[in-house]
Amino acid sequence: MAKTTHFGFTAVPETEKARKVAGVFDSVAERYNLMNDLMSAGMHRLWKRFAVETSGVKKGDRVLDIAGGTADLSALFVEQVGGGGEVWLTDINNAMLTIGRDRLLDEGAAVSVTQCDAEKLPFPNDYFDCVSVAFGLRNMTHKDVALKEMLRVLRPGGCVIVLEFSKIWKPLQPLYDIYSFKVLPAMGKLVAKDQDSYRYLAESIRVHPSQEELKQLMRYAGFERVEYFNLAASAVALHRGYKF
């Protein structure tokens, strides 16, 4: 029997998840940034800046931005590493990556761009000073494999940062459920002309590991000194770990 995994609340064969996730992001790519601003009231920009500042990236560093999509983090990392540094924007989805690449070109940012699977990174061992993934880990079929790949390409002393939706403060859960399963799909239908994709995105948050579960998953992958910072009443968490 084929192994199954989560696609939102639906169990699907592992071999089908990547294709289904690709369909979601192909559909929402053109309105992705607008929807992010609407869904978070613009706060996602503050979360991402906090993630970059927490990474400790400095001038001359090498940074890998995984599932970087429309390049919000990559653009911030370019400011951090300066002309002597190196930033790679990667994503498995071509539609999202194209938007990110074009944005960086328009801004004159010196960033290398490649389409690749986070579970099979085309980079050498011990190469990057920092590896980041923002709101992408929950869409990966084998999170443990992806985390081990991040560890492999990270140099000793380097850090990984994982910015992701997480388990909200419990007293707010009822209101958050109404927002996630009523307001968000309706917003997706109105703005992005795609209700189902935003229902999936809400469901994918619910089946993603909690803060403590992801912390343990990162430890099992080999990261050390793993810690997390809760943001937005714990609806979002930034995890950070190191390779030694």
Side-chain angles (χ1 to χ4, degrees):
M1 179 177 289
K3 290 184 178 180
T4 61
T5 188
H6 292 291
F7 179 73
F9 290 158
T10 305
V12 299
E14 286 187 348
T15 53
E16 290 186 16
K17 179 169 180 176
R19 177 180 60 80
K20 288 181 173 292
V21 171
V24 168
F25 286 96
D26 283 344
S27 174
V28 305
E30 290 296 329
R31 295 296 180 96
Y32 185 77
N33 286 339
L34 174 59
M35 282 295 294
N36 279 350
D37 282 333
L38 293 173
M39 288 188 299
S40 70
M43 289 182 64
H44 74 100
R45 299 178 186 277
L46 298 177
W47 303 333
K48 291 168 181 173
R49 185 167 289 279
F50 175 74
V52 171
E53 291 173 352
T54 304
S55 72
V57 166
K58 59 187 183 301
K59 298 294 183 184
D61 279 354
R62 295 171 175 170
V63 178
L64 173 61
D65 183 11
I66 295 176
T70 54
D72 282 354
L73 259 69
S74 287
L76 293 172
F77 276 125
V78 168
E79 298 174 8
Q80 296 290 109
V81 304
E86 188 176 328
V87 177
W88 283 80
L89 169 65
T90 70
D91 202 294
I92 195 172
N93 185 273
N94 184 263
M96 295 286 288
L97 191 63
T98 298
I99 292 172
R101 178 203 63 192
D102 290 350
R103 168 195 174 175
L104 293 169
L105 286 172
D106 289 343
E107 294 178 359
V111 174
S112 299
V113 180
T114 188
Q115 183 175 351
C116 65
D117 185 343
E119 297 178 20
K120 302 173 184 177
L121 295 173
F123 301 104
N125 297 347
D126 306 328
Y127 188 78
F128 293 99
D129 297 285
C130 177
V131 177
S132 71
V133 54
F135 304 113
L137 184 65
R138 73 182 190 282
N139 296 311
M140 297 175 190
T141 304
H142 305 100
K143 297 176 182 64
D144 56 338
V145 174
L147 287 169
K148 288 177 181 176
E149 274 291 271
M150 296 177 205
L151 184 74
R152 178 184 65 80
V153 301
L154 195 63
R155 69 164 181 81
C159 81
V160 64
I161 54 171
V162 181
L163 182 64
E164 189 56 88
F165 292 108
S166 200
K167 304 304 179 188
I168 197 168
W169 186 44
K170 199 167 184 64
L172 295 179
Q173 189 68 57
L175 287 175
Y176 190 50
D177 285 344
I178 293 172
Y179 174 77
S180 298
F181 298 112
K182 299 295 184 183
V183 178
L184 184 55
M187 193 185 302
K189 181 179 181 180
L190 179 66
V191 177
K193 313 303 179 187
D194 187 342
Q195 180 175 344
D196 291 342
S197 289
Y198 281 92
R199 182 177 292 110
Y200 156 73
L201 291 174
E203 292 177 359
S204 70
I205 294 169
R206 297 308 191 277
V207 298
H208 184 67
S210 68
Q211 287 92 328
E212 283 294 327
E213 289 169 339
L214 180 53
K215 181 178 179 178
Q216 291 305 317
L217 193 61
M218 291 174 66
R219 283 177 169 172
Y220 293 149
F223 290 102
E224 299 183 38
R225 286 175 51 195
V226 180
E227 59 185 334
Y228 60 85
F229 308 86
N230 284 320
L231 308 170
S234 301
V236 174
L238 174 68
H239 283 69
R240 179 176 63 185
Y242 294 86
K243 177 178 179 178
F244 293 115

